[in-house]
Amino acid sequence: MTFTKKAGLVGAIGCALVAGQATAADDVFINPEWANSAWYVGGNVGQSRANIDDVRLIRSLTANGAALTNFTADEKDVGYKLYVGKQLNQYFAVEAGLFDLGKFGFKSTTTQNGTLNGEAGFRGANLDLVAQVPLSQRFSVFGRAGMNYAKATTRFNGNRLFAVTNPSPSERKLNAKAGFGLEYKFSEALALRGEVERYRVNDAVGNRGDVDLFSVGLVYKIGRPAARPVAAPVEPPPPAVVPTVAPAAAQPPVEPAKPVPTSEKTTFSAEALFAFDSAVLRPAGKASLDELLGKLQGMDTDVMITVGHTDSIGSNAYNEKLSLRRAASVKTYLVSKGIDAARVYTEGKGETQPVADNKTAEGRAKNRRVTVEVVGMRR
């Protein structure tokens, strides 16, 4: 398969997968149970490099007193692989696939006008165990180890074919393979991989060596549940107070109303205020804060405290920074609406104060929140 065909194959797969994600423009990671147990498909293409033992061939060429005058080897080609996998949990997956590592050759000449040229190609199937370590919700590193069953097809031509016993041998062998790489998730369903793999192979004339594949590709998880928006909890309005009017004859003098100390706390869903993994307020989030400011009309505000919270996905340090950035973004907007910056304080609690179980999608959605507490005097 030529480079154009191989690149086109993986490119077509990538276009189809990206097109399938076009409707998920505002994607959030809210289905980790599904993502950690889903089936997936993928394809990679890249450059392969062979490290085949040439010593045995050179020894055969120089038999019978002939001297080697030239020997050149082509040990690079384009390789690709297609695979299907099953995620066992957040950290491990099993993966099976088909691969074509390309073709590698050599050209040689000896004294007495002797020539011998050869070409070897490797393709087959593999089964791997993949271990993945998340660095954040989007980035992760992974390693793989497994076996490959490769068919080696070799062809020789030239006037020194007596140096080999069979001009067109082939052989099938089971050998080990290993690799490592980096993955970036565009969404819960679609990810980009870059990786390096080493395939142990046998050519068809008894030589053993390695073929390394440096590749990039796309992975798509199948059957993703439809994302459902998480509604922000709404504080119930205070009950209406109906004043009791005494008879006019017994009505005491009316004194001017005195300011009443009060504290009000409102909780917003993080998804209602921000895009995923972002601290930039959405237009809908600004509208929610404007509604809060409208409720505060008639209150002399002493202190406002904005506190950000996250779920347990990702590292503690990352979550703490994200929650603080979101709290600060809320403060910036409130100040832009006329609130004295000296009266607004921010805190980032990260994942340390959950209000629900982080083991479920619904629980994590409740834990991703920003609270705004207002302390002041109601007139």
Side-chain angles (χ1 to χ4, degrees), residues 13-346:
I13 295 173
C15 290
L17 297 181
V18 172
Q21 291 292 300
T23 57
D26 195 18
D27 184 40
V28 292
F29 289 15
I30 61 174
N31 299 297
E33 287 84 4
W34 164 79
N36 293 336
S37 61
W39 286 88
Y40 61 87
V41 295
N44 284 39
V45 65
Q47 186 177 80
S48 55
R49 297 182 181 180
N51 180 20
I52 308 300
D53 183 13
D54 298 326
V55 176
R56 185 166 178 266
L57 287 170
I58 295 175
R59 188 183 304 118
S60 299
L61 289 168
T62 55
N64 301 323
L68 188 68
T69 59
N70 184 55
F71 185 91
T72 59
D74 180 7
E75 297 184 338
K76 296 181 181 179
D77 200 2
V78 174
Y80 74 95
K81 64 174 185 172
L82 301 173
Y83 47 91
V84 60
K86 177 66 167 68
Q87 200 74 37
L88 302 179
N89 54 44
Q90 183 180 4
Y91 303 103
F92 292 99
V94 175
E95 198 171 284
L98 301 174
F99 61 84
D100 186 336
L101 301 177
K103 295 181 179 180
F104 314 96
F106 72 92
K107 295 181 179 180
S108 64
T109 57
T110 66
T111 55
Q112 305 169 0
N113 295 321
T115 62
L116 181 64
N117 305 319
E119 183 181 74
F122 303 92
R123 60 175 59 184
N126 66 280
L127 180 65
D128 297 347
L129 177 65
V130 182
Q132 194 169 55
V133 179
L135 302 180
S136 69
Q137 283 186 315
R138 293 190 184 273
F139 279 103
S140 60
V141 294
F142 65 91
R144 65 171 68 244
M147 304 298 294
N148 80 89
Y149 184 71
K151 178 183 178 181
T153 303
T154 307
R155 292 182 176 84
F156 296 99
N157 63 77
N159 58 20
R160 288 188 65 84
L161 286 178
F162 63 83
V164 295
T165 57
N166 184 352
S168 299
S170 65
E171 186 171 353
R172 293 176 173 85
K173 283 288 185 179
L174 182 67
N175 283 298
K177 70 179 292 282
F180 65 92
L182 180 67
E183 180 176 288
Y184 176 78
K185 295 179 177 64
F186 296 111
S187 69
E188 283 182 323
L190 183 63
L192 174 70
R193 281 184 180 179
E195 56 183 310
V196 180
E197 297 172 281
R198 169 158 291 184
Y199 294 75
R200 188 67 168 167
V201 296
N202 290 65
D203 67 16
V205 293
N207 295 325
R208 296 189 66 189
D210 300 312
V211 178
D212 297 330
L213 178 62
F214 304 82
S215 65
V216 294
L218 293 171
V219 182
Y220 182 71
K221 291 185 176 178
I222 303 169
R224 181 188 183 197
R228 294 175 297 178
V230 180
V234 178
E235 292 287 332
V241 178
V242 180
T244 302
V245 180
Q251 184 173 357
V254 178
E255 296 183 1
K258 296 182 179 180
V260 179
T262 184
S263 174
E264 298 185 14
K265 186 174 182 179
T266 304
T267 300
F268 299 92
S269 163
E271 281 80 3
L273 297 180
F274 308 98
F276 172 74
D277 200 21
S278 169
V280 179
L281 278 169
R282 291 173 167 171
K286 294 179 181 179
S288 298
L289 293 176
D290 288 341
E291 183 178 348
L292 171 64
L293 291 173
K295 294 178 181 179
L296 299 180
Q297 293 297 323
M299 176 186 286
D300 294 329
T301 303
D302 292 329
V303 175
M304 296 184 73
I305 305 172
T306 66
V307 184
H309 303 267
T310 70
D311 60 23
S312 61
I313 297 177
S315 67
N316 293 337
Y318 180 83
N319 285 336
E320 183 177 352
K321 291 178 182 178
L322 176 61
S323 65
L324 184 58
R325 285 191 285 120
R326 286 179 166 176
S329 182
V330 171
K331 173 182 176 178
T332 299
Y333 185 75
L334 294 175
V335 171
S336 73
K337 292 296 182 177
I339 302 298
D340 185 359
R343 298 179 183 274
V344 185
Y345 298 87
T346 60

